[in-house]
């Protein structure tokens, strides 16, 4: 195994050329997210066709739905990072709160006949309450035991959904959303663009909330809990309360994501309750870069995109032309993503977000190379 | 009365399956602090290797001595897999607990997908000896032989692991390492060899669980390991991490509870009762029935 060198080692010479790089881009840098957001907002008006990247044109309903799902998972990953990357809590039960949002919205609309504007807040508040209650019990343990307890509670959720107690969830077949209770603008293939904007709004809201929390005094305590929980206790603060706040908030954000996802997909299916969903959230955050501003969002979007697109990549001619021992594994998205994930843990511990500084370091090293002996 | 005996024995069969998976998990976690999500993969590898051997390996078959050879091949494959995973993937990351969990998570995702890519996502009929399909009459209850086989195997494995831990030098090192790893290292003993050994034992037990569990269920599928793994985790936490005897007690409690509640209550209620038991144990006794305090 090659040991990844710590970036601090060649620090003194590497610091010099950063001043000489052109400053125009650096001045624009803070506005980059706004530019990306503006592009994302006007994207559905484009009829651009990107062969190989998306099947239809950018404004076709299929592409927009894929993008909307990606955006929702970008938001979910950012919300999960509030637990994992910023507070240091390894929860294996996050799928439960997402599923609470999906099934809560679906059941309230389809079975109870509530309008969306009542069902959505109820589902989100319900998801956050559930997270608060379970967190209150689970947070009595720490570390790996905490991970196990959250996993076990999420498993209860999965069993409840799959066994269909009281005939509410539709069991293994899932529960299609009754569109009669929805506003007309959210129904039908032609209105996929509205769902896309809804997903974008959700992502922006989650990013905003997570950044505000991380920048607040509470956020600094959460970072303290992540780095050294005992020290926070010695300072006279109760780590349990802060962790519970983060857990509840993160659960509420996941439930909101569930509501949006339910509208995009038009129903609920039991696979979203599985522990595999939580594991993939973990993969998204680690691939993106835990505890960074944009890493989890990028990781979530990229993961979902690959998860969808690798299926058609796997059945494409280029892959089926390969011998069977190569083409078969490559047609399984999870095999490719799992392998990439393992490699990322070894070679890019900071995820995608750490790539830019690493590349800059490499560039500087190459530029300085001729002047330095060895 | 025969219903109760039948439920007890099938519950014990389930408990045997949980124990075979949980004993390795518990030892690995107790000694090396690795929460091994890839343990379900070892089970899958064992099951598929047995299935493959019964059909293709010369000398192995679905019946008689051939079946023993097939199971031995499956166990060997699972052990080899576990040792390779420890040497190649886990060893470079020791003392980095979170990264180890992440690697095993990635491995479980990729490995199950690989099994699925090679042999398809659907369950396949498992070749099993004729006598495992039949039932034995015990005190008036008709008990399936596959379950009895599991119980006998689990008891033998329990006895073997305990004897190994009690009477061999490596067993002594493992017990001491679970108790206090730093001290063992400070005494100049290479604990890492023991890590590999523990992974090998866990992999072998899990592969045996995969092979015999497939005999019991009659089919083999890539997802089999994952669903068992969650209950094995629960057994490990209830039993106390690092304690094989604790895992055995916890496996019996969980298996019986699940079987009885699922029969007398609604189907699925037993699974929920198991999680409730976990919550109660954690709140009252976070270190489990026996074992060290479960911390990161």
């Amino acid at each position: 195994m090659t040991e990844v060198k710590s970036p601090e080692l060649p620090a003194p010479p590497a610091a010099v050329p950063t001043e000489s790089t052109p400053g125009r881009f650096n001045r624009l840098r803070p506005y980059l997210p706004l530019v990306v957001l503006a592009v994302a907002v006007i994207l559905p008006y484009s009829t651009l066709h990107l062969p190989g990247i998306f099947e239809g044109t950018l404004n076709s309903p299929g592409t927009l739905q894929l993008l909307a799902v990606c955006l929702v998972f970008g938001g979910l990953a950012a919300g999960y990072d509030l637990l994992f990357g910023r507070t240091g809590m390894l929860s294996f039960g996050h799928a439960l709160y997402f599923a609470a949002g999906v099934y809560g919205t679906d059941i309230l609309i389809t079975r109870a006949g509530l309008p969306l504007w009542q069902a959505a807040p109820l589902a989100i508040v319900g998801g956050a309450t559930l997270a608060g209650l379970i967190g209150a019990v689970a947070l009595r343990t720490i570390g790996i035991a905490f991970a196990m307890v959250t996993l076990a509670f999420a498993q209860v959720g999965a069993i409840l959904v799959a066994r269909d107690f009281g005939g509410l969830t539709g069991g293994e077949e899932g529960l299609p959303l009754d569109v009669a209770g929805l506003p007309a603008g959210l129904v039908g293939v032609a209105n996929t663009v509205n769902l896309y904007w809804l997903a974008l709004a959700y992502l922006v809201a989650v990013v905003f909330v997570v950044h505000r929390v991380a920048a607040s005094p509470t956020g600094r305590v959460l970072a303290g809990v992540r780095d050294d929980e005992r020290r926070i206790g010695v300072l006279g603060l109760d780590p349990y309360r802060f962790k519970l706040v983060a857990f509840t908030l993160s659960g509420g954000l996941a439930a909101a994501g569930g509501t949006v996802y339910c509208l995009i997909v038009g129903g609920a299916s039991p696979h979203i309750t599985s522990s595999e969903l939580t594991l993939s959230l973990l993969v998204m955050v680690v691939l993106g870069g835990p505890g960074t501003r944009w890493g989890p969002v990028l990781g979530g979007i990229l993961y979902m995109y690959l998860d969808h697109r690798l299926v058609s990549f796997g059945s494409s001619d280029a892959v089926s032309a390969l011998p069977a021992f190569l083409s078969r594994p490559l047609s399984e998205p999870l095999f490719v993503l799992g392998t990439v994930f393992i490699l990322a843990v070894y070679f890019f511990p900071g995820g995608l977000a750490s790539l830019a500084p690493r590349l800059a370091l490499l560039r500087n090293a190459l530029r300085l190379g001729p002047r330095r002996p060895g | 009365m025969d219903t109760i005996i039948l439920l007890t024995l099938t519950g014990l069969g389930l408990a045997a399956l949980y124990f075979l998976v949980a004993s390795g998990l518990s030892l690995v976690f107790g000694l090396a602090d690795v929460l091994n999500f890839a343990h379900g993969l070892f089970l899958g590898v064992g099951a598929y290797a047995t299935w493959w051997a019964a059909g293709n390996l010369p000398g192995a078959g679905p019946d008689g001595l051939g079946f023993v050879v097939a199971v031995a091949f499956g166990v060997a494959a699972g052990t080899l897999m576990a040792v390779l995973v420890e040497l190649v993937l886990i060893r470079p990351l020791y003392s980095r607990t979170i990264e180890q969990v992440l690697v095993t998570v990635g491995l479980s995702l990729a490995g199950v997908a690989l099994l699925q890519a090679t042999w398809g996502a659907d369950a396949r009929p498992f070749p099993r000896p004729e006598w495992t399909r039949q039932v034995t009459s015990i005190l008036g209850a008709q008990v399936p032989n596959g379950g009895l086989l599991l119980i006998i195997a689990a008891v033998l494995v329990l006895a073997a692991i305990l004897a190994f831990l009690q009477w061999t030098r490596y067993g002594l090192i493992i017990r001491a390492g679970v108790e206090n790893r730093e001290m063992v290292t400070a005494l100049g003993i290479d604990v890492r060899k023991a890590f590999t050994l523990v992974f090998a034992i866990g992999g072998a037990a899990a592969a045996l669980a995969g092979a015999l569990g497939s005999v019991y269920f009659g089919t083999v599928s890539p997802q089999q390991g994952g669903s068992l793994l969650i209950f094995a985790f629960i057994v490990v936490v209830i039993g106390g991490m690092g304690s094989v005897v604790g895992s055995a007690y916890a496996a019996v409690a969980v298996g019986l509870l699940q079987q009885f509640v699922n029969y007398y209550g609604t189907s699925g209620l037993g699974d929920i009762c198991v999680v409730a038991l976990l919550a109660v144990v954690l709140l009252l006794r976070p270190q489990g029935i026996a074992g060290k305090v479960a911390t990161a």
Side-chain angles (χ1 to χ4, degrees), chain A residues 276 279-280 283 303 334-335 337-338 341, chain B residues 104-114:
Chain A
E276 220 165 76
L279 296 187
S280 51
V283 174
Y303 181 97
L334 271 180
F335 174 74
L337 287 168
F341 175 64
Chain B
T104 58
V105 164
L107 194 63
S108 69
L109 293 178
V112 170
L114 193 60

Side-chain angles (χ1 to χ4, degrees), chain A residues 149 155 159 163 328 341 346, chain B residues 89 102 117 230 267-268 271 282:
Chain A
V149 180
Q155 188 62 19
I159 295 167
R163 301 292 162 103
R328 279 213 194 127
F341 175 64
Y346 281 105
Chain B
L89 291 174
L102 296 180
I230 292 182
S267 164
D271 306 12
L282 273 173

Side-chain angles (χ1 to χ4, degrees), chain A:
Chain A
M1 274 302 133
T2 48
E3 190 79 12
V4 178
K5 273 196 184 126
S6 140
E8 287 85 29
L9 280 180
V16 183
T18 41
E19 291 164 16
S20 65
T21 48
R24 203 179 297 160
F25 181 70
N26 282 344
R27 246 180 292 140
L28 284 177
R29 235 188 130 97
Y31 303 103
L32 192 62
L34 286 179
V35 174
V36 172
L37 178 62
V39 170
V41 168
I42 60 168
L43 189 119
Y45 293 111
S46 154
T47 54
L48 204 62
H49 184 65
L50 301 169
I53 299 181
F54 293 111
E55 298 218 324
T57 54
L58 273 181
N59 63 347
S60 68
T63 307
L64 284 177
Q65 193 185 26
L66 171 59
L67 283 174
V69 170
C70 290
L71 291 173
V72 167
F73 272 84
L76 274 180
Y80 183 70
D81 187 50
L82 188 63
L83 286 185
F84 178 67
R86 296 189 188 270
T87 319
M89 286 190 274
L90 185 59
S91 160
F92 277 116
H94 213 59
L96 181 61
Y97 315 113
F98 176 65
V102 176
Y103 271 98
T105 312
D106 200 352
I107 288 172
L108 286 175
I109 290 179
T110 309
R111 301 271 193 228
L114 291 182
L116 177 66
W117 66 270
Q118 289 177 348
L122 275 176
I124 295 169
V125 170
T129 314
L130 184 69
L133 289 175
I134 291 179
V137 176
L139 283 169
R140 293 180 55 118
T141 59
I142 53 170
I144 295 297
F146 172 75
M148 306 272 211
V149 180
T150 50
L151 179 71
F153 276 115
Q155 188 62 19
V156 172
I159 295 167
L160 283 178
V161 166
R163 301 292 162 103
D164 197 11
F165 286 112
L168 280 177
T169 62
E172 299 283 345
E173 281 148 33
L175 182 62
L177 189 63
D178 181 11
V179 291
L182 296 181
L186 294 177
V187 180
V189 176
N191 286 321
T192 312
V193 61
N194 292 337
L195 293 171
Y196 167 81
W197 279 322
L198 185 67
L200 188 61
Y202 166 71
L203 174 62
V204 171
V206 172
V207 169
F208 180 75
V209 168
V210 171
H211 289 180
R212 284 309 296 264
V213 169
S216 69
T218 309
R220 285 198 284 277
V221 177
L222 293 181
V225 169
R226 174 190 63 197
D227 295 337
D228 190 346
E229 190 171 328
R230 262 179 309 176
R231 194 156 172 193
I232 295 296
V234 170
L235 289 173
L237 298 165
D238 186 2
Y240 177 82
R241 284 191 200 176
F242 283 93
K243 288 201 285 187
L244 189 56
V245 166
F247 197 80
T248 312
L249 182 61
S250 186
L253 290 176
T259 301
V260 177
Y261 184 80
C262 178
L263 293 172
I264 294 172
V265 184
S269 61
H271 79 269
I272 55 158
T273 59
S274 70
S275 58
E276 220 165 76
L277 188 103
T278 310
L279 296 187
S280 51
L281 279 180
L282 190 64
V283 174
M284 291 171 196
V285 170
V286 172
L287 277 184
T292 56
R293 180 166 291 194
W294 300 107
V297 177
L298 286 179
I301 293 175
L302 195 66
Y303 181 97
M304 274 329 265
Y305 171 77
L306 288 177
D307 197 27
H308 276 80
R309 290 295 302 174
L310 282 176
V311 178
S312 57
F313 167 72
S315 55
S316 68
D317 296 337
V319 171
S320 4
L322 292 171
F325 73 94
L326 273 180
S327 71
R328 279 213 194 127
L330 281 179
S331 60
E332 288 284 337
L334 271 180
F335 174 74
V336 179
L337 287 168
T339 311
V340 169
F341 175 64
I342 294 175
L343 294 177
V345 171
Y346 281 105
F347 301 110
F348 303 100
L352 287 176
S354 77
L355 276 186
R358 272 163 193 268
L359 288 178
L361 207 70
L362 189 69
R363 238 187 359 248
N364 292 335
L366 287 178
R367 203 177 298 158
L368 284 176
R371 270 185 256 158
R372 286 161 65 194

Side-chain angles (χ1 to χ4, degrees), chain B residues 91 170 173 184-185 188-195:
Chain B
R91 182 157 283 200
Y170 269 105
I173 293 175
V184 176
T185 318
I189 295 164
D190 187 5
V191 171
R192 295 193 168 198
K193 270 184 204 148
F195 289 172

